[in-house]
Amino acid sequence: MSRNLDSPVQTQMAVAVFKTPLTGGNKMEGKLLQRQSSGRRVFVQTETGCVLGMELDRSDNVHTVKRRLQIALNFPTEESSLTYGDMVLTNDLSAVRNDSPLLLKRNFMHRSSSTPCLSPTGRDLQQKDRSGPIEILGQSECFSVVKQMVKDIVKAMKLGVEPLAVHSGLGGAYYFRNKKGQSVAIVKPTDEEPFAPNNPKGFVGKALGQPGLKSSVRVGETGFREVAAYLLDYNRFANVPPTALVKITHSVFNVNDNVKGSKTREKRMVSKIASFQKYVAHDFDASDYGTSSFPVASVHRIGILDVRIFNTDRHGGNLLVKKVGTFGEVELIPIDHGLCLPETLEDPYFEWIHWPQASLPFSDEELEYIQKLDPLKDCEMLRRELPMIREACLRVLVLCTVFLKEAASYGLCLAEIGEMMTREFRVGEEEPSELEVVCIEAKRSVTERDVFSPRSDVVGEAEFQFDLDCDDLESVYGSLTDDYFTKNPFSNGRSSLGKLEESIKEEEEDEDEAEEEALPMMTKKESFFSSAGFHDKATSLSKLSTSMKNTHLSEVGRKKNCTKPLTRGKSENTSSGHKSANEQLQASASFVKVADMKEDEWVMFLERFQELLGPAFAKRKTATLSKRQRLGTSCQF
């Protein structure tokens, strides 16, 4: 079956278990059919938020699933596509795992303003939901804490304890409480995210699967990222609260009018898929508390996690501060990881980057933790626990984990690592970060070796299938001009991106060379990719491959027609009227994509990427030493 990495596929899961009307029969017949079935249950959702679930028989295929959906929705489904993660399902369903999310998406050519919303008819689908009011979607042992919270909340719901809506933030969120009225968990339905169809605060205007707050994180896909951050926080190293995906049913949730996006007046029981995170009582958040009292170890551990998952939204508001002692000791709790693991590299935001703790060296314990990280095992675990996760997100995880491991081995501190990942703004425009510079050069040098063809073999395939909702592609890539393909710091000035040298241009050339020679250079012998473990797991990289069309960076660089300035500021935190998403946010530039490489290309890219890190780290160390010499010692922590 064909794979499409950038197809707008929604990763929400459906809710009400839909028993096929094609079989009919009484309850006993239904139970018999269930025992005879393959035991797989799938959850299907339309792009407007309607959710359905059904049991699959061994004989089922895409066509039979569509027929069942057509009867339930009372709408033709022949011209719709059924998708599973990155795959567009054609007929066979053997690759679909139990409790997997599917999306029924209308083909664009058949959509119009008069097309009715795919929604259930008068059938009471909730009566056919054989699951409980809260059901955890996942079997990981990490969810044991969540299971106990679920039991406490269900008991409270039966006693009439109502959840409370959270009024802050851009998306829908709810505090679910125990029988004592204490908040136990915060629940965020994935179809109430900013710009999602059922957002309760007026931030609507996008279909599920389209670009959201960040152009590389699609609407409705932040929920599984919250869970991914928790699963990747091994041994609660960074103190991420327990988080899981759940199916949860309650009347408190919001359902918008399908036409105007306004709230419906009638409250009714509705089931949703949501992130379910343990509520942690706290005293402040980092934006309201002096950062000098934060433990160095806590800052480092949260920063290590943020680098691994390429967190694009680590601000003070999502770092909770809890007092834990009588002498001013505090504990940091990181939350809100819905904008991590983007599909492409963009501009991250690290609140801690200028905190003095981030400039201190890593401890031996932290260095040992970093070196034990295995990005390939991380990917295997996430595929197992979150089968809806996109391969593009996993490639970003691999890239950033390798970058972190090599940078820590080289001796860089957390602040230096964060600075290398962060873009700079000059004359109102974004420039690629030092990490992106290395990626662009690695990709370019592999291309110049003629190891792989830069053109797709598929004639007529759309070059970019991820609709970034800009005026045109130039508004995304226009800032990457030919100026970046001069003075290449990695290949004798032959090609791209000499911008790293601008930050230290005040230094004399002979001092620069002397510093670089004095710094240790990484060799391939020391690299993650030359280790025996990497070669033993090389076959795992096949799962990271995609079939997106390759694109010349040089061709992208020729597009200069963009006149919109790219900004880094946050969106307006207002909900006056139902503005479209495009009116509220501007897309961030994407200088390099890691998802458009085949398996062998991706492996060679990673090897070349590692080779280029040594000179990049040397430049960063030189710049840091020069900066310290100019500032003196009065600014040390």
Side-chain angles (χ1 to χ4, degrees):
M1 62 185 65
S2 62
R3 296 182 63 87
N4 184 354
L5 187 67
D6 276 350
S7 61
V9 179
Q10 165 59 14
T11 61
Q12 283 181 309
M13 284 179 272
V15 291
V17 178
F18 176 57
K19 178 181 174 183
T20 171
L22 301 179
T23 59
N26 55 32
K27 293 183 179 179
M28 291 300 296
E29 291 175 340
K31 292 180 180 178
L32 180 61
L33 286 171
Q34 185 176 1
R35 287 196 300 267
Q36 291 176 344
S37 70
S38 61
R40 284 186 300 164
R41 180 178 59 175
V42 296
F43 301 96
V44 185
Q45 181 175 35
T46 70
E47 58 186 356
T48 54
C50 168
V51 286
L52 295 170
M54 62 176 65
E55 301 285 345
L56 289 183
D57 294 328
R58 288 187 176 90
S59 59
D60 279 328
N61 54 38
V62 170
H63 300 294
T64 59
V65 169
K66 285 186 178 181
R67 286 179 61 197
R68 297 182 192 180
L69 293 170
Q70 179 169 320
I71 294 176
L73 301 171
N74 193 27
F75 186 84
T77 58
E78 293 86 355
E79 303 299 339
S80 300
S81 299
L82 196 63
T83 49
Y84 171 47
D86 288 328
M87 292 190 295
V88 178
L89 301 175
T90 55
N91 189 44
D92 184 30
L93 296 176
S94 60
V96 179
R97 293 171 50 185
N98 186 42
D99 286 345
S100 293
L102 305 179
L103 176 71
L104 182 70
K105 183 174 179 61
R106 291 170 291 175
N107 296 334
F108 286 107
M109 66 180 65
H110 297 281
R111 297 179 61 182
S112 68
S113 58
S114 60
T115 302
C117 171
L118 294 178
S119 59
T121 61
R123 307 170 186 272
D124 188 3
L125 294 174
Q126 293 302 328
Q127 293 181 359
K128 299 175 182 177
D129 192 342
R130 295 187 288 269
S131 59
I134 305 178
E135 183 174 313
I136 300 173
L137 303 177
Q139 304 298 325
S140 174
E141 296 179 357
C142 299
F143 298 146
S144 58
V145 177
V146 177
K147 291 179 181 178
Q148 184 58 49
M149 291 191 296
V150 167
K151 292 180 181 178
D152 294 340
I153 292 174
V154 171
K155 290 179 182 179
M157 291 169 61
K158 292 179 179 179
L159 295 175
V161 180
E162 295 289 322
L164 302 175
V166 180
H167 298 293
S168 60
L170 301 179
Y174 306 86
Y175 292 124
F176 276 71
R177 303 181 289 171
N178 59 21
K179 62 182 181 180
K180 297 180 181 180
Q182 301 169 330
S183 295
V184 174
I186 182 167
V187 174
K188 300 178 183 178
T190 51
D191 69 333
E192 296 187 26
E193 296 175 8
F195 309 142
N198 292 319
N199 180 272
K201 300 174 181 177
F203 290 91
V204 294
K206 295 260 189 176
L208 298 176
Q210 290 185 333
L213 281 172
K214 296 285 185 176
S215 61
S216 57
V217 177
R218 309 184 194 214
V219 174
E221 298 192 1
T222 64
F224 74 78
R225 287 175 165 85
E226 295 260 19
V227 182
Y230 168 63
L231 294 175
L232 289 169
D233 186 26
Y234 300 121
N235 301 320
R236 297 205 64 194
F237 185 75
N239 207 22
V240 177
T243 313
L245 272 181
V246 299
K247 185 279 300 181
I248 186 166
T249 304
H250 205 281
S251 61
V252 72
F253 297 128
N254 184 68
V255 178
N256 286 334
D257 179 88
N258 292 325
V259 179
K260 298 181 180 179
S262 59
K263 298 181 182 179
T264 55
R265 296 181 181 179
E266 179 185 358
K267 281 292 183 181
R268 56 186 174 84
M269 296 296 288
V270 59
S271 296
K272 298 199 175 188
I273 295 302
S275 63
F276 182 99
Q277 186 172 80
K278 180 181 178 181
Y279 174 78
V280 179
H282 55 282
D283 300 289
F284 311 96
D285 63 47
S287 62
D288 298 326
Y289 200 82
T291 60
S292 61
S293 63
F294 294 163
V296 175
S298 295
V299 174
H300 282 191
R301 292 180 176 211
I302 292 172
I304 289 169
L305 176 67
D306 286 341
V307 170
R308 287 175 63 200
I309 64 179
F310 201 83
N311 196 347
T312 64
D313 190 39
R314 173 62 73 210
H315 56 79
N318 55 38
L319 278 176
L320 306 182
V321 182
K322 181 180 180 180
K323 295 181 179 180
V324 294
T326 58
F327 298 100
E329 297 96 336
V330 297
E331 176 185 2
L332 296 182
I333 302 101
I335 60 172
D336 293 347
H337 298 99
L339 296 178
C340 71
L341 295 177
E343 295 184 39
T344 61
L345 295 180
E346 57 172 80
D347 190 30
Y349 183 77
F350 302 136
E351 181 80 13
W352 42 257
I353 200 168
H354 297 299
W355 294 354
Q357 296 93 327
S359 295
L360 294 177
F362 289 120
S363 67
D364 292 340
E365 180 184 3
E366 292 159 358
L367 289 173
E368 182 181 2
Y369 180 87
I370 292 172
Q371 292 309 312
K372 287 183 178 179
L373 294 173
D374 188 332
L376 301 184
K377 285 186 176 180
D378 292 344
C379 292
E380 293 173 359
M381 181 272 294
L382 290 179
R383 287 194 195 94
R384 182 175 63 253
E385 301 296 339
L386 299 170
M388 74 290 295
I389 194 168
R390 296 178 181 274
E391 297 299 325
C393 304
L394 297 179
R395 286 195 174 186
V396 170
L397 173 64
V398 171
L399 187 72
C400 293
T401 303
V402 171
F403 178 74
L404 169 66
K405 290 168 67 70
E406 300 290 5
S409 296
Y410 196 87
L412 269 62
C413 66
L414 180 62
E416 292 172 318
I417 295 172
E419 288 171 356
M420 291 189 69
M421 300 175 72
T422 304
R423 295 176 181 176
E424 292 188 4
F425 286 74
R426 292 181 178 146
V427 197
E429 292 187 354
E430 282 182 321
E431 295 188 358
S433 66
E434 295 170 54
L435 171 62
E436 289 173 305
V437 167
V438 176
C439 290
I440 292 171
E441 179 59 26
K443 203 170 182 181
R444 183 181 180 88
S445 62
V446 170
T447 304
E448 289 175 349
R449 291 178 182 177
D450 292 328
V451 175
F452 59 89
S453 173
R455 300 295 183 185
S456 173
D457 295 332
V458 181
V459 178
E461 182 183 354
E463 187 160 341
F464 294 95
Q465 296 177 358
F466 187 0
D467 179 11
L468 293 176
D469 277 14
C470 296
D471 292 338
D472 46 33
L473 289 175
E474 285 80 357
S475 64
V476 180
Y477 294 99
S479 59
L480 186 60
T481 66
D482 290 337
D483 294 338
Y484 291 115
F485 295 94
T486 59
K487 299 181 180 179
N488 173 18
F490 300 118
S491 56
N492 301 323
R494 196 176 49 168
S495 59
S496 68
L497 304 159
K499 294 295 182 179
L500 284 174
E501 298 184 15
E502 292 186 6
S503 61
I504 53 171
K505 62 183 179 181
E506 69 277 358
E507 301 178 34
E508 296 184 8
E509 185 175 353
D510 57 341
E511 292 179 352
D512 180 50
E513 293 176 356
E515 292 285 358
E516 287 189 31
E517 292 175 0
L519 291 169
M521 298 296 290
M522 290 191 307
T523 64
K524 190 170 183 180
K525 182 178 180 181
E526 301 169 337
S527 75
F528 171 78
F529 302 107
S530 61
S531 65
F534 174 77
H535 290 292
D536 291 341
K537 299 171 185 174
T539 55
S540 299
L541 286 173
S542 62
K543 300 178 183 178
L544 296 172
S545 64
T546 70
S547 58
M548 279 181 52
K549 178 164 180 163
N550 295 309
T551 305
H552 267 308
L553 288 172
S554 57
E555 291 176 356
V556 174
R558 296 191 192 108
K559 300 177 180 179
K560 305 178 183 180
N561 297 327
C562 175
T563 57
K564 280 185 181 179
L566 293 165
T567 60
R568 188 180 182 179
K570 298 180 180 179
S571 62
E572 295 294 330
N573 191 10
T574 62
S575 57
S576 56
H578 301 285
K579 300 178 181 179
S580 70
N582 296 331
E583 295 175 7
Q584 300 173 41
L585 291 175
Q586 293 180 348
S588 178
S590 178
F591 293 107
V592 61
K593 298 177 71 173
V594 296
D596 59 349
M597 290 178 277
K598 298 179 181 178
E599 174 186 348
D600 55 340
E601 301 165 359
W602 171 239
V603 173
M604 296 193 68
F605 166 82
L606 288 175
E607 292 177 347
R608 181 59 177 154
F609 170 76
Q610 187 275 332
E611 292 172 2
L612 295 173
L613 286 177
F617 292 156
K619 293 281 186 181
R620 168 52 56 178
K621 273 293 186 183
T622 301
T624 301
L625 291 173
S626 175
K627 186 176 181 180
R628 288 177 179 172
Q629 290 174 357
R630 293 196 302 268
L631 292 176
T633 59
S634 60
C635 295
Q636 293 183 358
F637 176 63

